[in-house]
Amino acid sequence: MPALDDILREKLLLLEARHARREFKETGRLTGVRVMRNGRELISFSCNDYLGLSHHPEVKAASKQAIEIYGAGAGASRLVTGNHPLHAELEAQIAVYKRTPAACIFGSGYLASIGTIPALAGAGDLILTDKLVHACIIDAAKLSGATVMRFAHNNMEHCRMLLESNRREHHHCLIVTETVFSMDGDRAPIQVLKALAKEFDAWLMTDDAHGLGVLPRSNSNKGGGGADIQMGTFSKAAGSYGGYVCGSKPLVDYLKTAARSLIFSTALPPATIAASIAAMKIIASDGTLTEKPLHNAQAFTSLAGMPPAMSAIVPVILKDNDKALAAAQLLEERGFVVSAIRPPSVPEHTARLRFAFSALHDKADIEAVAAIVREQGWVCELQA
Ligand SMILES: *Cc1c(COP(=O)(O)O)cnc(C)c1O
C-alpha cells in the first residue's frame, strides 16, 4: 500500500499538469481595494468587500467595542450559551432590511446553506437548482438526501420541464437560485421562478450573497425578496462575516431546532456580529455608497466594449486554465490583483478572470484595467 503522502503527491502532480492546482497567495488587505502581495502594493479587483466596509472606521470601532464588552469568542453554540445579545439585534436588523417577519444568523453563508436546505428537504423530496449555483447549495442539496436536478442556467423553460415531469412523484419541492451569480455576475429571473414555484407548489430559496449592499434595496427585495427562504452572507458587501436566512417566523423557529450547522457549531464571535450590525446600518442608510460598485462595473464594461454589467461582478472568459492564469499574472505585473477562476469553481473550459468592482475604485484604475483587457484582446475571445 503506498503511503498517504505518496498518493497525495501523485494527485498534486496530476492537478499541476492541468493547471488546476490551487495555492494560497499571502495578501495583506490595507483598505477595501489596496493590498500587499510579495512586498508590492497592488489594487485589488478581487475582493467581495464591495463597499470597503471591512475597513470602515465605524465598523472597526463597533467590533473593538464588542470585544471589550463580550470578549473574543462566543463560548458555545447559540443553543447553549453562545447566543449573546448582539444576535437578536442583527437578526431584527436584517429582517427589517429584507422586509421579512424573521431572520436567523449562522456562522457563515456556507453554514447557512448546509444547515437550511437539509432541514427543509430530504428523501422523497425534490430540489431543483440553477446549474450555476454556488458550491454551498450543491453540497447542501447532496447532503439532504433529496432528489437533486439542475436546470440550465436561468433557463425557465427547462425549469418548468423538470417540474412538469418530476414534481408529482415527490413530496415537497424546493427551487434554489442566486440573485446575482457569483462567477458570472448576471441575475436570476426571480419573478418567473416565484410564479413557477406557486404553480407547482414548490418553495423558492434565493442566495443573495452578491446582491446585498450592491443591488438597490427595492430591487433586491423585488429580486431576492418574495422568496420563501432568503439566504445570504455578511462576508461580502457587509465587509464582515456570518450568514443569515430571512423568512417567516415558523421557518426561523424551525431552523433553530433542525439546522445542524447552527446547533453543532459555535456561535459567531461578538466582534464579528457587531461589525455586521454597524455595516448594515451604513448599507441601509447610504444609497450613494451602495450604488457605486454597479456604477463602476458598468464604467468598466463600457470602456472594455462589453455588454453592460448587471452587478459588481464582471467575468472575462478565457476558456483555458493556463490562459486565465497567465492573464492574472500579467495584470499582477501591472499592479492589479484579478482572480483567475478555474474549474471546478466554474464549468470546464470556462476559466476566466473575475473582476469584482468596489465603491472605492478610482476612475483611473478602472480605465487602466479596461485598457489592458482591450489591448490583450480578451474581450474578443469572449464573443468568439
Ligand atoms: C460567498 C458565497 C457564499 C458563502 O458565504 P460565506 O459567508 O463566505 O460562507 C454563498 N453563496 C454565494 C453565492 C457566495 O458567493
Side-chain angles (χ1 to χ4, degrees):
M1 274 282 279
L4 173 65
D5 285 356
D6 293 332
I7 293 173
L8 298 182
R9 267 188 218 107
E10 184 68 22
K11 283 182 190 284
L12 287 166
L13 285 173
L14 286 171
L15 285 168
E16 257 161 40
R18 293 192 290 122
H19 301 282
R21 177 168 174 177
R22 295 157 184 241
E23 276 171 322
F24 296 143
K25 284 187 187 167
E26 190 173 295
T27 312
R29 297 183 64 241
L30 306 174
T31 70
V33 293
R34 287 191 299 118
V35 303
M36 282 298 280
R37 205 180 249 186
N38 301 322
R40 279 174 75 213
E41 190 176 317
L42 306 165
I43 299 292
S44 172
F45 285 89
S46 220
C47 300
N48 300 316
D49 182 16
Y50 300 114
L51 305 170
L53 294 182
S54 68
H55 283 71
H56 192 288
E58 285 166 28
V59 174
K60 292 201 286 191
S63 203
K64 284 183 204 160
Q65 195 192 15
I67 290 185
E68 288 305 326
I69 300 170
Y70 298 107
S77 99
R78 292 188 61 189
L79 286 166
V80 185
T81 54
N83 196 47
H84 46 89
L86 296 171
H87 275 102
E89 189 178 344
L90 181 57
E91 286 175 343
Q93 194 184 20
I94 187 72
V96 166
Y97 186 81
K98 293 278 181 177
R99 299 189 177 101
T100 58
C104 185
I105 308 297
F106 287 74
S108 70
Y110 188 96
L111 289 171
S113 180
I114 66 160
T116 301
I117 292 177
L120 301 179
D125 298 330
L126 175 65
I127 298 178
L128 287 183
T129 78
D130 188 283
K131 189 110 196 294
L132 295 187
V133 291
H134 191 264
C136 71
I137 296 167
I138 296 170
D139 296 353
K142 251 190 234 164
L143 189 62
S144 75
T147 307
V148 184
M149 293 182 183
R150 299 209 266 171
F151 51 91
H153 179 49
N154 278 346
N155 186 328
M156 296 298 101
E157 287 75 45
H158 191 209
C159 181
R160 166 179 286 281
M161 231 177 68
L162 291 175
L163 284 164
E164 276 170 355
S165 37
N166 300 284
R167 173 67 187 96
R168 229 165 289 129
E169 293 108 68
H170 294 87
H171 189 36
H172 299 303
C173 177
L174 177 66
I175 304 174
V176 193
T177 194
E178 293 179 14
T179 56
V180 172
F181 285 87
S182 59
M183 296 297 145
D184 292 71
D186 57 347
R187 281 146 64 166
I190 304 292
Q191 294 313 308
V192 183
L193 283 166
K194 252 175 81 175
L196 277 175
K198 194 162 173 220
E199 184 181 339
F200 287 89
D201 186 25
W203 306 319
L204 179 63
M205 173 167 168
T206 51
D207 180 347
D208 195 36
H210 298 276
L212 179 78
V214 174
L215 297 187
R217 181 182 172 202
S218 58
N219 197 322
S220 183
N221 274 279
K222 214 168 17 127
D228 304 286
I229 304 125
Q230 299 183 47
M231 189 210 110
T233 175
F234 299 107
S235 66
K236 308 275 159 81
S240 173
Y241 196 68
Y244 63 81
V245 171
C246 290
S248 68
K249 183 132 190 332
L251 170 72
V252 166
D253 287 345
Y254 184 66
L255 289 178
K256 288 178 183 162
T257 300
R260 294 173 64 85
S261 61
L262 181 70
I263 301 168
F264 298 107
S265 186
T266 300
L268 282 167
T272 304
I273 304 196
S276 300
I277 293 170
M280 284 308 302
K281 279 184 191 152
I282 297 167
I283 287 175
S285 63
D286 192 346
T288 320
L289 178 70
T290 54
E291 68 186 22
K292 279 186 187 162
L294 178 59
H295 185 87
N296 284 342
Q298 288 174 341
F300 169 81
T301 48
S302 160
L303 287 163
M306 299 169 69
M310 284 186 277
S311 70
I313 302 161
V314 179
V316 172
I317 316 273
L318 297 169
K319 297 184 187 146
D320 302 329
N321 289 354
D322 54 341
K323 276 194 193 143
L325 288 172
Q329 180 64 31
L330 181 142
L331 281 156
E332 189 165 327
E333 279 156 19
R334 309 253 188 119
F336 303 103
V337 178
V338 183
S339 9
I341 308 282
R342 291 167 284 164
S345 304
V346 291
E348 287 295 332
H349 309 298
T350 69
R352 67 196 65 188
L353 292 170
R354 175 184 180 275
F355 287 86
F357 290 88
S358 159
L360 270 51
H361 282 128
D362 288 339
K363 196 158 169 273
D365 297 323
I366 296 166
E367 285 170 356
V369 285
I372 296 172
V373 168
R374 283 196 89 115
E375 162 205 308
Q376 296 293 320
W378 288 333
V379 172
C380 299
E381 205 151 348
L382 172 71
Q383 276 138 9

